[in-house]
Amino acid sequence: MNDYTIASPEGAVIAQVSHSDITEHTGTPYDTGARLEPHPWVRDGITGHEYQRPAEADDYGRVDFDDDEGTTIATLHIEGDPLRPEGAFLLKLDVNAPVIIHGPGGEYIGRVRPM
């Protein structure tokens, strides 16, 4: 089994990693399904995956969140509020499954259910 040592420029050992540590990686939260993977709608002025087209103004700011099977669970769209352009924003959420919302400190805020 191979061991790897990571050292500073001065030669001090920073970390030691064994081959098994590298090959037994359990995966990212996206790989395990613990977290939905974000996919912005617009890339280089083009939107769509299967049927690509030039992006329109309403496509910007939208992000799909897909599960580990590639199914879109939620689409988020954040835009400025035309009635309060000084700093209010609207969050639009289209969901295919219940979404639980937590605050910045982890506190439970609520649940969004699909209609």
Side-chain angles (χ1 to χ4, degrees):
M1 178 161 49
N2 295 331
D3 287 336
Y4 302 93
T5 301
I6 302 170
S8 71
E10 295 80 26
V13 174
I14 298 172
Q16 289 184 321
V17 181
S18 72
H19 181 71
S20 63
D21 290 337
I22 295 170
T23 58
E24 293 176 11
H25 177 66
T26 59
T28 68
Y30 304 124
D31 297 333
T32 63
R35 182 170 290 170
L36 298 176
E37 188 165 357
H39 296 282
W41 276 28
V42 178
R43 294 181 190 272
D44 298 325
I46 303 295
T47 190
H49 299 287
E50 193 171 327
Y51 303 103
Q52 294 185 353
R53 62 174 169 76
E56 299 172 4
D58 285 344
D59 296 327
Y60 288 88
R62 295 178 188 259
V63 177
D64 286 339
F65 289 87
D66 297 352
D67 63 14
D68 57 344
E69 295 175 357
T71 302
T72 297
I73 301 299
T75 300
L76 295 177
H77 181 198
I78 300 173
E79 62 185 35
D81 183 347
L83 300 177
R84 297 187 56 208
E86 68 279 359
F89 293 91
L90 300 172
L91 168 65
K92 298 181 179 183
L93 175 64
D94 296 319
V95 295
N96 298 323
V99 174
I100 299 170
I101 302 171
H102 293 272
E107 69 278 7
Y108 175 81
I109 293 176
R111 180 184 302 259
V112 177
R113 297 181 194 277
M115 298 179 73

